[in-house]
Amino acid sequence: MADVPVLVCTAGELSGKRIPVPEGGIGIGRSPENAVVIHDEGVSRYHARLLFENGSLWLQDAGSRNGVFVNGARVTGHKALKVGDSMTIAEHTFELRWQDEDSIEAGVRPAQPSSTRSLGPTRAPSADATDAGDGGKSKRGRWFWPFS
């Protein structure tokens, strides 16, 4: 299974819910247009956004009045997330895990230990890197910054 980050709600009305974060990301807020809808007066209509691109997961506060907290510290702007981080929005707390860690809880072993992977900024292959499956053609790499 591909590495997919999952938000696991540990406190609040969504407690116990597991929300996979697809490539591209998800919105969080009171509006039904968000992927994660939280019915709480302390949550803005468009409260925050999780961006998942090139193996990196970022949290962006969408200008909410009450803020978003990661491991107890308020996030202003955006922040890179990693597995094990705790994110709090109003009365809801979410823990970040990998999809295969949920499989471990169900008794299925992952193909690779999750402790060797992170969700921080990553560097794409350099311009001279080649892939054996592409017939020797070079791949052009670049830094990915989701807020440009």
Side-chain angles (χ1 to χ4, degrees):
M1 171 171 280
D3 295 334
V4 176
V6 176
L7 285 179
V8 179
C9 187
T10 58
E13 98 180 21
L14 301 176
S15 187
K17 186 168 181 166
R18 291 170 172 9
I19 304 138
V21 181
E23 192 74 24
I26 59 173
I28 303 170
R30 269 193 351 252
S31 172
E33 295 175 13
N34 291 296
V36 179
V37 179
I38 301 175
H39 301 287
D40 184 329
E41 288 302 314
V43 177
S44 300
R45 284 177 290 154
Y46 301 96
H47 200 95
R49 180 144 180 88
L50 287 174
L51 301 170
F52 182 48
E53 299 288 336
N54 292 340
S56 295
L57 187 67
W58 293 84
L59 171 66
Q60 179 181 28
D61 186 330
S64 64
R65 184 177 2 186
N66 295 324
V68 180
F69 297 81
V70 173
N71 301 327
R74 187 169 183 158
V75 173
T76 55
H78 59 275
K79 177 175 179 45
L81 298 177
K82 63 185 181 312
V83 171
D85 280 345
S86 174
M87 179 180 74
T88 303
I89 298 176
E91 301 296 319
H92 287 75
T93 302
F94 300 88
E95 183 179 313
L96 183 62
R97 299 183 185 168
W98 282 108
Q99 180 76 37
D100 59 5
E101 288 177 347
D102 288 341
S103 299
I104 291 172
E105 291 175 7
V108 179
R109 288 192 65 87
Q112 165 181 354
S114 61
S115 61
T116 62
R117 295 169 290 171
S118 70
L119 284 176
T122 58
R123 173 101 170 133
S126 64
D128 60 350
T130 59
D131 181 40
D134 70 355
K137 297 177 186 173
S138 67
K139 293 189 174 191
R140 184 171 200 116
R142 65 176 174 86
W143 277 99
F144 174 76
W145 184 251
F147 303 102
S148 54

